[in-house]
Amino acid sequence: MFQISRLLFFLITLNLLSCSTNSKYRYAIKDFRKSLQPYLTGIVAKGIVAYKDSALRYMATDRELMLLGQSEHPVLRASAYREMLFRKSFDHFDLLMNHLDDTAIVSVNAGEWGIWFRTVSDDILEHAKWKDSSDKNKTIDKVITEHNYLRAAYTILSKIQPQEKYYPYIKDMATRDRKSIGYNDEPMTADIELGLYGLARFKKREDLKVIKDLLMSNRSRMSSVSFALMEDFPDTSYLEVFETYYKSNFYHNICMNHSVEDAIHFVDAVATYKNERSANILEAILNRKPFVNCDADTVSLKGHLIDAIWNNPCDSYLQLRKQIKRYIRNDEKDWGIPVEPVYLSDDTATEKIRW
């Protein structure tokens, strides 16, 4: 009887401990004051994290925001974290460092881009600011080594120098089977492209085949990031990727997306290889009739193609350069390329370093 009682006590205790362990997000709407409950219900009903939620901004106290950060509803947690990052009464660095494991997916209002889906932790990092680069570097280190499943781990790779201590993490990020939780859920996601670019920056010969094979197998989903990779870290093995993409996907993607943005990055990257194989691709694009067999606007693509050939002089492009010479006006090397304005931030807040 005594043994049974002890066993029963042990099982009850274990159950209580399990409940406690799994109840990190334990607060329900009913746990908050009644005057706030209708507004919290409205946020949950809408189901979208807005840029600024007036109910939390003007009604919720600091303590209530802290409790909302432990809400059972991810949309309330994300909304509360945004408000906490706005208020100076919170330690923002401590806040984000202690909430990098919130992988619940929330819908985010992205304005003219519609609705995006991201983890709560990614949303925190998107809106966080750091007082200095030292604190940001500590965050980067923790994200890459402990939370590299986050989209923020991928987007930061192009902004940091390759460090050997991060190499195994970045290689895993680049080669893992991943469905994007950020902007799309296509097989070849922006995340993987960023991971491959981060891996290529280490310039390790043993990674070339890995990178090339992943580009080849996912070529229909390649974007400007992949083309930048092959331009910035050139290798003749990538010519097969260019050739296959041109035959199978170049025109299809232009017409399907009604956009030449990726095509422009493609011809810019191909032109830097300056050999017979790259010349064949450029010649095929230049002399194709019709230039594009759909209603996509190709004026800027033609301009970029001409500039790409002209700005990469080599023996392999001699015939092409003769053909386009009449389009080159004096020494205007940027013919046909729109100049994008540069926006300077006037943020004078103490925390001004962004992700």
Side-chain angles (χ1 to χ4, degrees), residues 26-44:
R26 60 185 181 276
Y27 289 102
I29 291 177
K30 65 181 177 61
D31 296 321
F32 294 86
R33 56 187 165 94
K34 290 185 177 180
S35 59
L36 186 61
Q37 289 179 19
Y39 298 97
L40 300 181
T41 301
I43 294 173
V44 173

Side-chain angles (χ1 to χ4, degrees), residues 301-332:
L301 175 58
K302 291 177 183 176
H304 271 274
L305 176 62
I306 290 169
D307 284 331
I309 295 169
W310 193 256
N311 293 337
N312 289 280
C314 64
D315 291 343
S316 298
Y317 297 170
L318 286 177
Q319 288 301 119
L320 289 172
R321 287 168 64 81
K322 289 178 182 178
Q323 185 177 343
I324 66 171
K325 189 173 182 178
R326 68 181 185 275
Y327 296 109
I328 304 299
R329 302 180 298 179
N330 301 320
D331 292 323
E332 294 178 18

Side-chain angles (χ1 to χ4, degrees), residues 1-54:
M1 182 68 180
F2 177 73
Q3 292 296 332
I4 295 176
S5 298
R6 288 186 61 184
L7 178 60
L8 182 60
F9 175 78
F10 173 78
L11 291 174
I12 293 174
T13 303
L14 181 62
N15 184 61
L16 290 173
L17 289 173
S18 299
C19 290
S20 176
T21 302
N22 295 324
S23 60
K24 180 177 181 180
Y25 306 121
R26 60 185 181 276
Y27 289 102
I29 291 177
K30 65 181 177 61
D31 296 321
F32 294 86
R33 56 187 165 94
K34 290 185 177 180
S35 59
L36 186 61
Q37 289 179 19
Y39 298 97
L40 300 181
T41 301
I43 294 173
V44 173
K46 189 175 181 181
I48 299 174
V49 183
Y51 175 71
K52 178 183 73 175
D53 194 282
S54 58

Side-chain angles (χ1 to χ4, degrees), residues 168-180:
Y169 299 102
I170 294 173
K171 185 163 187 175
D172 178 61
M173 290 166 62
T175 56
R176 67 171 58 134
D177 184 17
R178 177 175 172 84
K179 290 289 186 181
S180 174

Side-chain angles (χ1 to χ4, degrees), residues 197-215:
Y197 190 94
L199 182 62
R201 296 180 73 193
F202 286 93
K203 301 179 181 179
K204 293 181 183 285
R205 293 295 302 177
E206 63 266 29
D207 291 332
L208 279 172
K209 187 177 186 307
V210 172
I211 295 171
K212 182 225 171 180
D213 288 348
L214 280 170
L215 291 174

Side-chain angles (χ1 to χ4, degrees), residues 121-136:
S121 294
D122 273 317
D123 196 65
I124 294 174
L125 288 166
E126 177 72 20
H127 291 83
K129 293 181 182 180
W130 291 261
K131 292 180 179 179
D132 53 54
S133 57
S134 175
D135 281 349
K136 181 178 178 180

